[in-house]
Amino acid sequence: MTEGMTARTTTVLSIVDARAKLTQLPEQLGDEPGVVVVTRHGRQVLAILAWEDYEALIETLDIVGDPEAMEQLRISSEQIKAGKVRSVRELGKELGLD
């Protein structure tokens, strides 16, 4: 797992069990980041996740779907690999904020 990523658990519940535990799931997902996979007749039919995780997922999809944002990300990554970076302190001095 890369730095900054949180370990996520996957809980699998039948639709009957998910219905019975629905009111407990917000606390469960708040305490332990992850996803609840809901199955019907053994087949995965739903995924339940915390709202913050949903928003992050949608934001990621928006960025990945934006060709300009992806190009800027590629350029930034190349600049970092080439050592073309400045510290926040250096940037603040350059902008006269220090």
Side-chain angles (χ1 to χ4, degrees), residues 86-98:
R86 292 178 282 181
S87 70
V88 171
R89 180 170 284 155
E90 291 169 331
L91 186 58
K93 285 181 182 179
E94 183 180 317
L95 296 173
L97 302 174
D98 195 33

Side-chain angles (χ1 to χ4, degrees), residues 8 50-63:
R8 300 200 176 272
W51 186 255
E52 294 81 18
D53 291 342
Y54 168 78
E55 286 180 322
L57 180 61
I58 294 302
E59 182 177 353
T60 300
L61 290 173
D62 287 344
I63 291 168

Side-chain angles (χ1 to χ4, degrees), residues 74-93:
R74 184 191 62 74
I75 290 168
S76 298
S77 180
E78 288 174 359
Q79 289 173 337
I80 291 169
K81 288 177 186 175
K84 297 180 182 177
V85 295
R86 292 178 282 181
S87 70
V88 171
R89 180 170 284 155
E90 291 169 331
L91 186 58
K93 285 181 182 179

